Amino acid sequence: MSRRSGILEFAVLGLLRESPMHGYELRKRLNTSLGIFRAFSYGTLYPCLKTLVANGWLIEEPGNAPAEAAPGSGRAVAPASSLAGRRAKIVYRLTAEGKEHFEELLSHTGPDSWEDEHFAARFAFFGQTEHDVRMRVLEGRRSRLEERLEKMSASLARTRERLDDYTLELQRHGMESVEREVRWLNELIESERSGRDQRRSSPEGSAQQNTAGEPDGLPRRGDNPPDPSGDTAK
């Protein structure tokens, strides 16, 4: 299984852990909530869903097609396929085995979870992730970016004299993007540590946590990290 397909399977399981969905709604959530999947198609999603069903992590159930807005009315109407009596859309539901598998994936903190796309997907589900795992992922990501920043700086120092002004500016922009994410990670790590210390020192302890075990003040699911591609606005 490729790294890209592994990330997609992780994201699909995570979204279906929240609620069952049909393919249309699932693709929409992947596009809007997880920006790393903006460019993928049904031709990518449905083979992934079939694989998850075959593994016993999802089950297929008959369901209604999504309502669509009538042009110019703002009112939802039944899709043409339903009106024509076609087969109902399939709803995908997470099985107990699928939930267990997703929780195993959430606990993984190896180097793959620090890479650009995988980290973005992992961060999107931090609300379902244990505190210690969040810390290991954040610190691993920071370490990876610090290594990247060091290499970029060394490369720029070697090639500065051979670069034209525009290429040099592009190199600097890339370094600034990495530096911004490192600062962002530092803030998150400090917030995680502060939240943990406050819970330990408070007599009410767990009351300061939300139901996902997430300290108040940290980004919730759907708050995406800075774009690892370097397109983050200055």
Side-chain angles (χ1 to χ4, degrees):
M1 180 174 61
S2 69
R3 176 179 295 178
R4 179 76 174 180
S5 62
I7 298 171
L8 179 58
E9 289 186 6
F10 172 83
V12 167
L13 292 172
L15 289 175
L16 292 178
R17 188 174 188 245
E18 298 175 358
S19 65
M21 300 182 202
H22 47 70
Y24 172 88
E25 183 181 5
L26 187 56
R27 182 174 182 266
K28 184 177 179 181
R29 288 289 306 278
L30 287 165
N31 282 333
T32 57
S33 299
L34 301 174
I36 59 174
F37 296 110
R38 290 191 186 101
F40 91 112
S41 65
Y42 286 115
T44 302
L45 175 60
Y46 282 109
C48 171
L49 290 170
K50 294 299 183 183
T51 297
L52 295 176
V53 170
N55 288 338
W57 297 330
L58 302 181
I59 58 174
E60 297 176 323
E61 300 175 337
N64 295 325
E68 298 175 353
S73 69
R75 294 179 297 177
V77 297
S81 58
S82 295
L83 296 175
R86 294 181 183 177
R87 181 172 59 90
K89 295 287 185 180
I90 297 297
V91 170
Y92 296 90
R93 182 185 298 274
L94 198 65
T95 64
E97 293 80 4
K99 181 179 179 181
E100 181 179 353
H101 178 62
F102 179 68
E103 290 172 350
E104 290 176 358
L105 294 176
L106 278 181
S107 67
H108 175 68
T109 58
D112 282 352
S113 63
W114 309 336
E115 299 298 338
D116 293 345
E117 290 186 344
H118 205 152
F119 173 75
R122 288 299 302 270
F123 186 83
F125 295 98
F126 261 22
Q128 303 179 37
T129 306
E130 294 293 332
H131 172 269
D132 290 345
V133 175
R134 290 198 302 261
M135 285 293 292
R136 290 196 293 272
V137 172
L138 289 172
E139 290 173 343
R141 174 64 174 175
R142 180 176 63 179
S143 177
R144 179 59 49 86
L145 289 182
E146 288 174 341
E147 293 173 1
R148 184 182 301 175
L149 192 59
E150 183 176 350
K151 291 179 180 178
M152 293 173 71
S153 179
S155 175
L156 183 61
R158 290 194 305 269
T159 61
R160 182 187 300 270
E161 299 301 325
R162 300 195 300 271
L163 299 177
D164 61 64
D165 291 343
Y166 297 103
T167 305
L168 183 60
E169 189 61 29
L170 184 62
Q171 295 278 346
R172 287 173 176 165
H173 173 68
M175 290 183 62
E176 289 172 0
S177 298
V178 177
E179 290 169 347
R180 280 196 298 274
E181 187 171 348
V182 170
R183 290 194 297 270
W184 175 75
L185 289 166
N186 286 335
E187 293 171 0
L188 283 176
I189 290 169
E190 183 58 33
S191 295
E192 287 278 355
R193 288 173 176 164
S194 298
R196 179 190 58 190
D197 293 342
Q198 289 172 7
R199 292 194 301 276
R200 286 179 174 177
S201 62
S202 170
E204 298 180 355
S206 60
Q208 298 183 19
Q209 284 183 286
N210 61 25
T211 55
E214 185 177 14
D216 291 339
L218 287 181
R220 299 308 195 257
R221 234 201 54 70
D223 290 343
N224 293 325
D227 188 348
S229 66
D231 293 334
T232 307
K234 293 185 179 180

